[in-house]
Amino acid sequence: MTQPAILIVDDEKGVQTSVRGILEDAGFQSEAVPSGEEALERLVKKEFSAVLLDVWLPGMDGLQTLAKLRQISPET
């Protein structure tokens, strides 16, 4: 059985590292990206069970990213 994959979207490297560590210790696969634009690129290429999304991001903010995410992957 494949582990559920979770995408972490946060521009702070320390947050990415901490959250990835917690998720992986709990048995989840995880990937982290620093921007909404990169998150959308990843969602086109791979299916994720969930996305942990920071609201304040450089460029496209978290709410804009969420709106586009729902169009690309409504089940996530």
Side-chain angles (χ1 to χ4, degrees):
M1 182 194 298
T2 305
Q3 295 173 310
I6 298 176
L7 180 61
I8 303 158
V9 186
D10 199 298
D11 58 323
E12 295 182 42
K13 192 69 171 166
V15 171
Q16 290 179 10
T17 302
S18 295
V19 174
R20 280 189 81 171
I22 292 165
L23 291 172
E24 289 173 2
D25 285 349
F28 294 95
Q29 290 182 7
S30 65
E31 294 183 31
V33 294
S35 70
E37 293 86 354
E38 288 182 60
L40 297 174
E41 289 174 15
R42 292 297 301 141
L43 284 162
V44 169
K45 297 176 184 175
K46 181 176 178 177
E47 185 176 325
F48 291 89
S49 299
V51 176
L52 300 178
L53 179 60
D54 187 6
V55 174
W56 295 286
L57 295 168
M60 181 185 300
D61 71 25
L63 296 177
Q64 293 168 322
T65 303
L66 179 60
K68 291 189 183 268
L69 181 154
R70 287 181 170 167
Q71 293 172 357
I72 293 169
S73 182
E75 297 299 316
T76 301

